Amino acid sequence: MQTNPTHASLVTVGDSFTEGMSDLLPDGSYRGWADLLAARMAARSPGFRYANLAVRGKLIGQIVDEQVDVAAAMGADVITLVGGLNDTLRPKCDMARVRDLLTQAVERLAPNCEQLVLMRSPGRQGPVLERFRPRMEALFAIIDDLSKQHGAVVVDLYGADSLADPRLWDVDRLHLTAEGHRRVAEAVWQSLGYEPEDPEWHAPIPATPPPGWLMRRTADVRFARQYLLPWVGRRLTGRSSGDGLPPKRPELLPYEDLA
């Protein structure tokens, strides 16, 4: 890995994690780790260009159909691909199909960029992670194998203690907070060979007194009403939170034109 490299362009591919939910800006839009990473890279490279093709709720088949060829055609220095986790959260998940689609995506993207970046996605501590852990780890094993075959960098967010902490996750329990996204940006930044700005991004955050019983139950009720029930409803009706939404930044343009 090159030390302190200079990259002229970045294209990111994926779902809500790469779109930036739930790093909410005052205008109601999302920032997220990819925007933070692009800002850092742009500061090192005049004329730096950035596209973010991610759309929330996308399954790996949709990512392959809608984003991969577009990203490959852009010919960016760096392409990041994060996908498949939404598939593992579905009641019926064909891991063989997920493997085949991820393989198709990597085989298309790797030859069309200087550096392909894959990730082992973070997992929040709690019963949801425990239920889906076997599928997630099967997904990560696929990612590890593909990285070795195609020279991709793998950013291990799953193994970072800090990103498993519920305090770095939004109230929907599916997306990272602004601080969580900052740490992911740092992790990718370092994985690309840049000098660390936060060498301890992966370290556990300081302990705080746990919330009381009433606060926990109130949070559980809010979570179920605002997030869990609508999520279940979309699964039952075959809908997605990203239906009809365009990519976040569909064109590879100078960063300052998009910031």
Side-chain angles (χ1 to χ4, degrees):
M1 178 62 62
Q2 182 183 358
T3 302
N4 289 325
T6 299
H7 296 110
S9 53
L10 168 69
V11 173
T12 59
V13 173
D15 51 33
S16 60
F17 175 69
T18 303
E19 184 183 344
M21 297 174 72
S22 290
D23 184 5
L24 195 64
L25 293 171
D27 65 0
S29 64
Y30 292 110
R31 183 177 54 179
W33 67 264
D35 285 11
L36 293 169
L37 177 66
R40 288 193 190 185
M41 296 172 75
R44 293 285 190 96
S45 179
F48 179 84
R49 296 178 300 152
Y50 170 49
N52 187 329
L53 305 180
V55 178
R56 68 196 71 171
K58 294 299 182 181
L59 302 173
I60 187 59
Q62 295 170 309
I63 291 172
V64 170
D65 290 343
E66 300 168 13
Q67 301 179 32
V68 166
D69 283 347
V70 176
M74 290 178 173
D77 287 356
V78 177
I79 297 178
T80 69
L81 166 64
V82 187
L85 195 62
N86 283 335
D87 297 76
T88 69
L89 300 178
R90 296 296 177 101
K92 296 180 180 180
C93 175
D94 183 346
M95 289 305 297
R97 182 172 183 272
V98 171
R99 180 197 62 222
D100 292 345
L101 288 166
L102 273 172
T103 301
Q104 180 181 336
V106 170
E107 289 179 345
R108 183 76 175 96
L109 294 173
N112 288 285
C113 63
E114 292 185 8
Q115 183 61 67
L116 178 63
V117 177
L118 307 176
M119 298 188 201
R120 294 161 57 93
S121 302
R124 180 185 186 275
Q125 293 173 354
V128 173
L129 174 62
E130 293 309 313
R131 178 180 178 185
F132 294 102
R133 188 187 296 274
R135 287 183 184 174
M136 291 175 62
E137 294 186 347
L139 174 67
F140 300 153
I142 294 168
I143 289 169
D144 289 343
D145 288 343
L146 288 171
S147 72
K148 294 173 184 176
Q149 296 171 31
H150 298 277
V153 169
V154 176
V155 184
D156 185 14
L157 305 173
Y158 181 69
D161 291 337
S162 64
L163 293 179
D165 193 313
R167 290 172 293 175
L168 289 186
W169 292 73
D170 192 42
V171 293
D172 67 1
R173 304 181 184 181
L174 287 173
H175 301 105
L176 292 169
T177 62
E179 173 60 14
H181 279 281
R182 185 197 67 79
R183 290 173 183 247
V184 173
E186 178 68 30
V188 183
W189 173 259
Q190 293 184 25
S191 296
L192 287 170
Y194 292 99
E195 183 177 353
E197 295 186 10
D198 177 10
E200 301 300 321
W201 69 267
H202 48 75
I205 60 178
T208 57
W213 181 90
L214 180 59
M215 185 176 294
R216 295 198 306 272
R217 296 294 78 79
T218 301
D220 288 343
V221 170
R222 179 187 177 192
F223 163 71
R225 182 174 60 248
Q226 291 186 229
Y227 301 103
L228 181 59
L229 292 178
W231 184 85
V232 171
R234 290 194 297 271
R235 299 291 81 76
L236 293 175
T237 58
R239 294 178 292 116
S240 167
S241 57
D243 287 348
L245 294 180
K248 183 176 184 179
R249 304 189 189 280
E251 297 181 70
L252 187 60
L253 296 174
Y255 177 80
E256 58 267 22
D257 293 346
L258 300 169

